[in-house]
Amino acid sequence: MPPVCSEHSSLALTDRIEHGVEELNLVQTNEQLIGEYAGQEAPLLPLLHALHERDGYLSEDALRAVSDGLRIPIADLFGTVTFYHHFAREPGGHRAPRVCTGYICRLNGSQELLASLDGATGMPCSGRCDEPIPVLLGNQTLVGLSAGALEARDTPMPPAAPDGVEECVFAHIRDPARKTLEGYRSTGGYEALERAVHSMTPDELISVIDDSGLAGRGGAGFPTGRKLRAVRDATGGPKTVVCNADEGEPGCFKDRALMDHDPHAVLEGMALACVATGAERAFLYLRYEYPETDAVLAVAIAKAEAAGVLGDNALGSSHTIKIYLRRGAGAYICGEETSLLNSLEGAHPFPRNRPPYPVTNGYEGTPTAVNNVETLASLPPIVARGAEWYRGLGLGEQAGTKVISLSGDVNRPGNYEVPLGLPLSELIEQWAGGVRHGNAIQAVTMAGLSGGFLAGDDLDVTLDEPSIRSKDSFLGAGGIMVFDETRDMIEIAHSAMEFFAHESCGKCFPCRIGTQRLTERLAGDAGPGDVTAWLDEVADINLTMKETSACGLGQAAPLITESLLRYFPEAVRAHIEGSALLETERTDDE
């Protein structure tokens, strides 16, 4: 079987990290690298990363060699490579600084930092909203508010939960030994997998997960047990499990904390999903902007394989469980499961038309379970402690917990594992220490950006889907950004829509054009000067996008403008009238 690899084989990466051994592939020829990767599962991304790191960019010669070696038409390959944000096409591009320009980082001066670094370019939110401002330099992340303050830092540990609150995925995460195989096993790690492979049938395993009420924690909220059973029951094979770690939603950074501080919990969850579905192969698809996480996961996989926990005859059983680490290259749309699958396969990462769904036609057309990092990390404690225990962690009728990534104008930003059903106000005021400088909350975003804004009386919600959906929003992946009374909501909405326009894959007309038109209107660059006509036009764009876009990006983006109009009508009116006045002045000047 091929070795586990991301940009390199996991064993080579382990050597580099632990012993400082130089990577051999830095001097390998194109032909040698292609020969090394061509026979592996999902070879294109790791091969491109190896070339990118070796040369500092992807040259035309290297891409033509890849095209020949993997039998990918050169036009298709160029189109795929240029779709991703982080594959440089000019010499030195791999090492050029990339500065986060997500809105939380903008509030902390990222535009000034960007201007102060030679050769720097901006990048969308890179998942460090709890610790701005991140700058990528090759395979290293530096953090700081100015060029002179940039330094490498470990991922912040999640703040401790209040007394009396029981956690699921964060229960042991603050133990510094937890990221090692020995430390993980000393706190009960891999005991659930041991039970699953030796004393449970797949149906029994799925029933425990189903009875727990666990639903997808990446945004969609689909019942996890039902998805695993659908893959188990699907005809054809080989079956496949995919961990979606492409955490690209602005304001979301929970998965990075889980992978950095508790990587074996994610691997054990993937292994349990393999046992449940009958899959022998699994992929962990990691977002590009987490290079340190890539190294942590590669070491964890290698250690687990060397110990016989993963691989052939996992834990001395008849089960084969192979986990492959694949790093993306920067594209928000790859968080959508079918785009992610296309990316894994080496195709252009457009969303697929559905049906058929991945549970029957996923990776390479095989039945595939795609689950989020948090969802999979929840499986080991659920299997170890039982469905009833997990259900009891929620409040009222809600089952279980949810990790919330909280950032913006709060005193203690960070990741908080809350019982589902907890009031939003309690999270902000008691857990996170309230709003900075004693200011009042003006609005929050939900589901990162995808859920739009909540404001006014609608801030009186509980953190669960029924409560938040009753306000025409949704909890989704659990990113919440807080904005106080001093913030310009038109500017925030424009920044959000600009992000969606930038990240639209371009496959479908409503999203490709709609996000651009809404961005222009929020910027005051286009649209009717009459308030009624402006509102009618924006409402029409919103409706068209929601009803006809091909995937969740185009369906969610209009929630930004809809909620802006709902909560801040006077600010919108002033924006329209101000834009019309400026247009009149420009016309008069001409």
Side-chain angles (χ1 to χ4, degrees):
M1 294 294 292
V4 178
C5 65
S6 52
E7 294 178 23
H8 324 282
S9 75
S10 62
L11 292 176
L13 186 53
T14 303
D15 287 339
R16 183 179 67 165
I17 295 165
E18 296 187 348
H19 306 296
V21 176
E22 184 178 357
E23 291 294 321
L24 294 179
N25 69 12
L26 294 181
V27 295
Q28 286 179 296
T29 66
N30 291 340
E31 291 71 22
Q32 288 171 325
L33 280 173
I34 292 167
E36 176 183 342
Y37 289 101
Q40 298 182 7
E41 295 276 10
L44 179 61
L45 280 172
L47 174 56
L48 291 175
H49 280 300
L51 293 165
H52 194 237
E53 183 169 325
R54 184 197 67 183
D55 299 338
Y57 76 117
L58 291 177
S59 68
E60 184 169 340
D61 286 345
L63 290 181
R64 291 192 179 278
V66 172
S67 172
D68 293 339
L70 297 187
R71 299 184 183 279
I72 301 173
I74 190 65
D76 290 349
L77 182 60
F78 268 86
T80 298
V81 166
T82 55
F83 183 85
Y84 296 108
H85 302 322
H86 291 296
F87 280 142
R89 295 285 291 114
E90 298 294 333
H94 177 57
R95 289 289 304 171
R98 285 150 289 171
V99 180
C100 179
T101 56
Y103 200 76
I104 298 302
C105 286
R106 287 192 190 190
L107 296 181
N108 286 275
S110 66
Q111 297 294 340
E112 292 79 5
L113 178 58
L114 176 63
S116 70
L117 296 173
D118 290 341
T121 56
M123 62 179 171
C125 178
S126 61
R128 284 188 179 256
C129 308
D130 55 339
E131 194 181 36
I133 302 164
V135 177
L136 276 181
L137 284 173
N139 283 334
Q140 183 180 31
T141 306
L142 304 178
V143 180
L145 298 181
S146 66
L150 291 174
E151 60 181 359
R153 299 180 197 165
D154 291 337
T155 294
M157 195 67 74
D163 292 341
V165 174
E166 189 173 5
E167 298 171 309
C168 176
V169 296
F170 281 177
H172 300 287
I173 199 171
R174 299 171 190 89
D175 181 347
R178 180 76 171 180
K179 71 165 53 178
T180 68
L181 177 61
E182 297 76 13
Y184 183 70
R185 300 192 82 167
S186 72
T187 51
Y190 290 114
E191 289 180 3
L193 181 61
E194 185 96 34
R195 181 184 304 174
V197 298
H198 289 297
S199 60
M200 298 178 76
T201 67
D203 282 342
E204 289 172 338
L205 176 58
I206 291 173
S207 292
V208 171
I209 298 167
D210 210 11
D211 293 345
S212 74
L214 177 67
R217 297 302 191 227
F222 191 84
T224 306
R226 192 187 307 174
K227 178 182 288 188
L228 296 176
R229 192 179 300 281
V231 175
R232 180 79 188 183
D233 293 343
T235 59
K239 308 286 176 71
T240 310
V241 166
V242 174
C243 175
N244 184 346
D246 192 64
E247 186 176 41
E249 183 69 41
C252 292
F253 44 91
K254 63 184 178 68
D255 294 345
R256 176 170 55 90
L258 284 166
M259 292 183 289
D260 281 359
H261 295 301
D262 207 358
H264 287 280
V266 182
L267 300 183
E268 186 176 11
M270 294 177 69
L272 286 166
C274 285
V275 175
T277 58
E280 294 188 351
R281 65 181 180 187
F283 297 95
L284 197 161
Y285 186 100
L286 178 69
R287 72 175 301 189
Y288 178 90
E289 291 85 354
Y290 292 170
E292 292 82 4
T293 306
D294 183 52
V296 169
L297 290 168
V299 170
I301 293 170
K303 294 289 189 180
E305 281 197 333
V309 174
L310 300 176
D312 297 326
N313 306 118
L315 288 171
S317 71
S318 61
H319 293 273
T320 295
I321 303 172
K322 297 284 189 178
I323 295 181
Y324 303 94
L325 178 58
R326 294 293 180 266
R327 187 180 176 197
Y332 172 76
I333 198 64
C334 287
E336 193 277 331
E337 62 179 1
T338 63
S339 298
L340 185 156
L341 294 172
N342 280 337
S343 180
L344 271 179
E345 292 177 9
H348 198 87
F350 278 151
R352 300 176 183 176
N353 294 328
R354 293 182 287 184
Y357 294 92
V359 292
T360 58
N361 297 76
Y363 176 71
E364 294 184 337
T366 66
T368 301
V370 183
N371 287 107
N372 171 258
V373 169
E374 183 188 350
T375 310
L376 292 165
S378 300
L379 297 185
I382 288 173
V383 175
R385 305 193 62 177
E388 186 175 348
W389 166 80
Y390 184 75
R391 294 190 71 89
L393 297 180
L395 300 178
E397 299 297 316
Q398 303 302 315
T401 65
K402 178 76 188 76
V403 179
I404 303 295
S405 297
L406 190 66
S407 63
D409 295 320
V410 291
N411 284 311
R412 291 195 296 272
N415 288 301
Y416 296 89
E417 185 177 7
V418 306
L420 281 171
L422 183 78
L424 172 62
S425 59
E426 185 173 336
L427 171 64
I428 294 174
E429 296 299 332
Q430 297 181 31
W431 293 46
V435 180
R436 289 175 179 167
H437 311 302
N439 291 337
I441 297 176
Q442 182 174 197
V444 303
T445 64
M446 301 305 297
L449 288 177
S450 294
F453 302 112
L454 290 182
D457 293 341
D458 285 349
L459 291 170
D460 186 21
V461 294
T462 53
L463 294 169
D464 55 79
E465 290 293 357
S467 178
I468 296 172
R469 286 187 183 275
S470 72
K471 309 301 181 185
D472 297 320
S473 183
F474 60 100
L475 181 60
I480 298 178
M481 292 182 274
V482 178
F483 300 104
D484 70 19
E485 58 196 318
T486 68
R487 304 303 183 186
D488 183 337
M489 294 308 300
I490 302 294
E491 178 186 340
I492 294 169
H494 171 254
S495 175
M497 196 60 66
E498 190 176 43
F499 167 81
F500 284 124
H502 181 264
E503 294 298 328
S504 174
C505 73
K507 177 182 180 180
C508 72
F509 180 88
C511 177
R512 182 177 72 246
I513 302 300
T515 52
Q516 292 287 348
R517 297 294 87 85
L518 291 176
T519 300
E520 293 164 358
R521 278 138 188 79
L522 289 169
D525 295 335
D530 175 75
V531 172
T532 301
W534 193 97
L535 295 174
D536 287 345
E537 182 180 76
V538 168
D540 185 57
I541 295 172
N542 288 341
L543 180 63
T544 301
M545 289 178 64
K546 289 173 69 175
E547 293 193 346
T548 61
S549 292
C551 80
L553 191 159
Q555 295 160 12
L559 296 181
I560 291 290
T561 39
E562 286 185 349
S563 57
L564 180 73
L565 296 173
R566 181 165 61 249
Y567 296 120
F568 304 103
E570 294 306 315
V572 173
R573 178 179 292 273
H575 165 72
I576 299 167
E577 293 173 344
S579 298
L581 179 61
L582 288 174
E583 181 61 32
T584 300
E585 292 174 350
R586 283 195 294 266
T587 302
D588 290 344
D589 290 341
E590 292 172 359

